[in-house]
């Protein structure tokens, strides 16, 4: 690390945090039944569930992919009946992509599966005191996301 204000302990904590979150993210992906969806398709479904309807160009920018790649992702999701398009109520020239009922069901099912796995793992592997420590640590980590 070139910044002398950053301690070796902070560097170690950053490394460990990145490694643990990468493993946890990978494990949570394994738990969810993706029904043959790619990571990009799953990410778009999650974004639509969280942020609501969006144009294809807005989705491409948010997912940091080319518009052509987003078009392919949306075509696959549309073919599977997971997303649909409708005119933008404020600009009829634009189309907004949103989740269909099947898309919502898939997203909710995946989230439920992940949360159930995580709750079971926390219950089986940690004591009440350790779970309390995890909750406290998460509150501290949440400050990283604040602007």
């Amino acid at each position: 690390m070139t910044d002398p204000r950053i301690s070796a302990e902070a560097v170690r904590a950053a490394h460990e945090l990145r490694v643990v979150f990468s493993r946890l993210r990978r494990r949570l992906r394994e738990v969810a039944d993706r029904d043959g969806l790619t990571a990009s398709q799953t990410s778009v479904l999650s974004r639509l569930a969280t942020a609501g309807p969006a144009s294809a160009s807005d989705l491409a920018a948010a997912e940091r992919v080319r518009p052509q790649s987003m078009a392919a992702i949306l075509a696959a999701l549309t073919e599977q009946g997971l997303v649909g398009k409708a005119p933008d109520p404020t600009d009829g020239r634009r189309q907004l992509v949103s989740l269909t009922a099947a898309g919502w069901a898939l997203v909710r099912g995946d989230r439920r599966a992940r949360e159930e796995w995580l709750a079971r793992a926390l219950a089986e592997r940690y004591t009440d005191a350790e779970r309390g420590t995890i909750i406290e640590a998460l509150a501290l980590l949440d400050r990283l996301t604040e602007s």
Side-chain angles (χ1 to χ4, degrees):
M1 205 37 66
T2 59
D3 189 336
R5 297 171 296 171
I6 300 174
S7 70
E9 187 176 70
V11 171
R12 180 172 173 242
H15 172 77
E16 293 295 325
L17 188 61
R18 184 188 56 76
V19 169
V20 168
F21 277 123
S22 292
R23 285 184 195 148
L24 182 58
R25 186 175 49 247
R26 197 169 28 255
R27 184 65 179 108
L28 287 170
R29 280 189 198 132
E30 291 171 3
V31 169
D33 180 16
R34 291 188 150 184
D35 293 322
L37 297 176
T38 67
S40 296
Q41 292 167 349
T42 302
S43 181
V44 168
L45 292 176
S46 179
R47 183 172 301 280
L48 290 170
T50 303
S55 70
S57 59
D58 289 342
L59 286 169
E63 293 290 317
R64 294 187 169 112
V65 299
R66 294 178 328 196
Q68 299 87 344
S69 298
M70 183 54 63
I73 292 167
L74 293 175
L77 293 173
T78 299
E79 184 178 309
Q80 295 178 57
L82 300 173
V83 300
K85 293 180 183 176
D88 183 334
T90 61
D91 182 354
R93 297 169 295 176
R94 286 179 13 134
Q95 294 280 309
L96 293 181
V97 179
S98 60
L99 293 176
T100 62
W104 276 110
L106 181 71
V107 168
R108 286 184 184 122
D110 282 356
R111 286 180 178 170
R112 187 172 33 258
R114 289 176 181 147
E115 287 176 7
E116 286 174 2
W117 173 82
L118 194 51
R120 189 171 33 262
L122 289 168
E124 292 172 356
R125 299 177 189 177
Y126 299 95
T127 65
D128 287 341
E130 289 171 325
R131 284 190 296 276
T133 300
I134 290 169
I135 290 168
E136 290 172 7
L138 289 171
L140 292 172
L141 291 171
D142 192 43
R143 289 194 338 221
L144 287 173
T145 65
E146 297 172 359
S147 298

